[in-house]
RNA sequence: GCGCCCGUAGCUCAGCUGGAUAGAGCGUUGGCCUCCGGAGCCAAAGGUCAGAGGUUCGAAUCCUCUCGGGCGCGCCA
């Protein structure tokens, strides 16, 4: 609808030709009005052009209006306030839009505005050292919704999970698995303070027992001989690193790798299943280790070196990030010869560009904001545009049960997992609650509210509207009242209540909402829109009976109801929430 | 100390990249089922958009400062 108005306006400006400044000011736009008394759409072109044209805005507005081509879509054009041009659309325009919803079905709201643009969305990317917790759930829901929005607007979208399988945390996981294995075989000792103590480690250790029996068993006395003290007397980090080193020494690299791989494989499988059940899938799980194994990190460092972007100091190799917008220079190769995560990240992001993606969209935790300048500097050093990287930060989610905050601590292994949350409140409620708030706003996630079956809960409120339409159609069938889209389309002309007109107008806004939400990476726009749409539907439902005797009116009302259902279903799909036939 | 994010109704939050009289939900108060699903609807009350400057036809929105909250500032990822 908006595009059609823009078309009319463009024609008018064209007709005026050189009577106006050549360049239409970029801030000149066609927008929805907020107040229905101002019609349906308004444009500020006259205001925007007044200054460059050196003319009175109202006078300009009259000129524009006089040159607007006639259209059956517009009932009235008026000039208001300082020089706004208001358009009141015709009933025909609204009916046409409802027909478009019925014709395009699940495709209604999709556009090609992003066609030809390839976006790689990286999200979740949680360390595979344990199950996902509720914070990761927010990343998953947000990232998946944004990816859906981009796909719906025609972008070519690639979803990726970066697997941090190369770092120290993974070594600690391997050690934790092995120690639980030793315990299972009867060794006894104090579990390291900084090891992974969560219950999920045990089944992996048990599997190791089943596979290897006691082949990897070593006496505890040998394992812990002459290690530095653990916390609280000593340093827990130093201690756990010593345990890892001892493990590698006692098992040898091959068997060490075996345990490491088992831990990684099991936890990743769990994460993958968890996300899949949550409706979140990836096109690729990208291994950090593969970057090193394929020599891409080394290649990247070579390039930095030959282009003069690095220097040596204190035995380490430093990247001149501060010359490219970062706060300080960063170590890419440590004094022990190991590359740092920054080197991997640069290689990884460069690879994303080399794979042909125009936009690299990273969804990261708010605590990673310092990382942005680093990677951007890296991309620029590699000759890639810094603005090809876009980062959206997701703020923390805090769980509440009723009014009580649910305490969590990763350290003790006492955190609520995403799986537990999903089992408690259901996937639909979880998906919707996670994207209800703007990503850069802290989220208070109330478990009781998410479970409640009342109008406090937007999930049920929106789904209920969808189910109600289905129910009405079931009733119609039972009463032997048939309905066809064709009959519905012609029946629309018979609808003229304020509720019906308002509902039609809201349906027509959907494509703009998708466009907007995609551009702003703001799935909450869709949720809020759906809530309003459901509200208008419920209001209409209470005010009017659909299954009336007059076949024409009945067909029209069913058409409008069906179109509403379709848009609700389309919108819910974007945020990964189901549209049930009954509840 | 420096950097990033946030501050909107009693509570939880929207606010369409600067538009016309700032909106929802909950909560509070008062109404609506012989009728397609009451998991619903209608109505009322509730605001110095943290504060102060600035930019302009026009600011919750953009800029500066102040106050308050969160998060960063490793040869960890």
């Amino acid at each position: 609808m908006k595009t059609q108005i823009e078309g009319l306006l463009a024609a008018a400006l064209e007709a005026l030709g050189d009577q106006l400044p050549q360049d239409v000011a970029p801030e000149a736009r066609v927008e929805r009005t907020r107040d229905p008394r101002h019609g349906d759409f308004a444009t500020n072109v006259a205001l925007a052009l007044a200054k460059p044209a050196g003319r009175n805005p109202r006078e300009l507005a009259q000129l524009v209006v006089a040159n607007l081509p006639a259209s059956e879509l517009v009932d009235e054009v008026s000039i208001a306030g300082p020089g706004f041009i208001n358009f009141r659309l015709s009933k025909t325009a609204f009916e046409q839009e409802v027909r478009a919803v019925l014709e395009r079905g699940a495709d209604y709201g999709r556009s090609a505005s992003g066609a030809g643009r390839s976006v790689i969305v990286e999200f979740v990317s949680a360390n595979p050292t344990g199950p996902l917790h509720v914070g990761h759930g927010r990343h998953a829901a947000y990232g998946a919704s944004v990816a859906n929005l981009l796909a719906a607007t025609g972008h070519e979208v690639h979803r990726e999970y970066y697997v941090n399988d190369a770092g120290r945390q993974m070594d600690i996981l391997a050690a934790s698995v092995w120690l639980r294995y030793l315990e299972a075989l009867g060794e006894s000792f104090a579990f390291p303070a900084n090891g992974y103590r969560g219950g999920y480690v045990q089944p992996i250790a048990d599997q190791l027992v089943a596979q290897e029996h006691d082949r990897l068993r070593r006496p505890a006395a040998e394992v812990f001989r002459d290690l530095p003290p653990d916390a609280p007397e000593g340093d827990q980090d130093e201690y756990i690193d010593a345990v890892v080193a001892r493990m590698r020494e006692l098992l040898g690299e091959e068997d060490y790798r075996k345990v490491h791989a088992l831990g990684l494989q099991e936890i990743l499988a769990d994460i993958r299943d968890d996300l899949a059940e949550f409706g979140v899938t990836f096109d690729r799980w990208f291994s950090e280790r593969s970057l090193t194994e394929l020599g891409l990190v080394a290649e990247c460092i070579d390039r930095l070196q030959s282009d003069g972007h690095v220097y040596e100091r204190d035995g380490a190799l430093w990247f001149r990030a501060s010359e490219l917008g970062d706060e300080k220079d960063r170590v890419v190769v440590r004094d022990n010869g190991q590359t740092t995560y920054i080197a991997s990240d640069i290689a990884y992001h460069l690879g994303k560009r080399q794979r042909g993606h125009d936009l690299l969209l990273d969804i990261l935790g708010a605590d990673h904001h310092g990382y942005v300048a680093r990677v951007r500097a890296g991309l620029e050093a590699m000759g890639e545009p810094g603005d090809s990287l876009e980062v959206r930060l997701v703020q923390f989610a805090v769980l509440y049960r009723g009014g009580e905050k649910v305490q969590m601590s990763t350290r003790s292994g006492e955190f609520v997992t995403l799986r537990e949350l999903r089992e408690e409140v259901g996937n639909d409620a979880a998906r919707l609650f996670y994207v209800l708030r703007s990503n850069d706003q802290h989220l208070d996630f109330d478990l009781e509210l998410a479970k409640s079956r009342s109008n406090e809960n937007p999930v049920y409120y929106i789904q209920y509207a969808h189910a109600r339409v289905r129910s009405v159609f079931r009733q119609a069938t039972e009463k032997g009242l048939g309905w066809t889209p064709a009959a519905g389309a012609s029946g629309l002309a018979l609808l003229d209540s304020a509720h019906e007109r308002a509902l039609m107008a809201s349906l027509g806004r959907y494509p703009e909402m998708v466009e907007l939400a995609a551009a702003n990476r703001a799935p909450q726009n869709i949720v809020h829109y759906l809530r309003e749409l459901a509200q208008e539907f419920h209001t209409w439902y209470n005010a009017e009976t659909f299954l009336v005797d007059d076949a024409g009116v009945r067909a029209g009302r069913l058409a409008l109801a069906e179109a509403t259902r379709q848009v609700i279903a389309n919108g819910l799909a974007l945020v990964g929430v189901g549209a049930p036939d009954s509840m």
Side-chain angles (χ1 to χ4, degrees), chain A residues 197-266:
Chain A
R197 318 176 69 94
Y200 60 88
V201 177
Q202 197 59 55
I204 306 174
D206 293 342
Q207 204 176 324
L208 192 61
V209 173
Q211 279 175 18
E212 305 290 340
H213 307 292
D214 60 358
R215 197 178 67 79
L216 304 180
R217 180 173 180 175
R218 300 291 183 274
E222 207 178 320
V223 177
F224 295 97
R225 183 187 304 138
D226 299 330
L227 292 185
D230 195 2
E233 300 82 29
D235 182 320
Q236 60 172 19
D237 284 306
E238 206 172 295
Y239 181 74
I240 194 73
D241 287 342
V243 170
V244 170
R246 176 65 50 84
M247 175 186 174
R248 301 176 89 137
E249 181 189 320
L250 293 176
L251 291 185
E253 199 57 24
E254 190 180 328
D255 283 334
Y256 170 76
R257 275 285 145 212
K258 204 171 250 178
V259 178
H260 188 284
L262 179 70
L264 172 67
Q265 171 201 312
E266 290 305 304

Side-chain angles (χ1 to χ4, degrees), chain A residues 89-257:
Chain A
L89 298 193
S90 67
K91 183 72 193 316
T92 315
F94 290 117
E95 288 166 25
Q96 217 176 70
E97 198 63 21
V98 177
R99 277 185 221 110
V101 176
L102 296 175
E103 279 159 24
R104 295 195 56 197
D107 280 339
Y108 182 72
R110 300 186 76 89
S111 79
S113 62
R117 198 160 157 74
S118 170
V119 183
I120 177 168
V121 185
E122 183 208 326
F123 61 113
V124 188
S125 299
N127 274 340
T129 53
L132 298 177
H133 57 67
V134 293
H136 299 124
R138 189 176 190 193
H139 285 239
Y142 176 71
S145 299
V146 169
N148 288 344
L149 284 166
L150 291 170
T153 45
H155 297 82
E156 188 183 307
V157 177
H158 179 89
R159 298 160 172 87
E160 195 154 295
Y161 186 119
Y162 184 58
V163 182
N164 295 110
D165 53 5
R168 171 170 175 265
Q169 293 307 318
M170 282 306 299
D171 290 327
I172 297 176
L173 176 75
S176 303
V177 169
W178 188 55
L179 293 177
R180 290 299 188 204
Y181 160 90
L182 293 179
E183 279 178 345
L185 292 176
E187 297 293 334
S188 89
F189 48 83
F191 200 82
N194 208 17
Y196 286 102
R197 318 176 69 94
Y200 60 88
V201 177
Q202 197 59 55
I204 306 174
D206 293 342
Q207 204 176 324
L208 192 61
V209 173
Q211 279 175 18
E212 305 290 340
H213 307 292
D214 60 358
R215 197 178 67 79
L216 304 180
R217 180 173 180 175
R218 300 291 183 274
E222 207 178 320
V223 177
F224 295 97
R225 183 187 304 138
D226 299 330
L227 292 185
D230 195 2
E233 300 82 29
D235 182 320
Q236 60 172 19
D237 284 306
E238 206 172 295
Y239 181 74
I240 194 73
D241 287 342
V243 170
V244 170
R246 176 65 50 84
M247 175 186 174
R248 301 176 89 137
E249 181 189 320
L250 293 176
L251 291 185
E253 199 57 24
E254 190 180 328
D255 283 334
Y256 170 76
R257 275 285 145 212

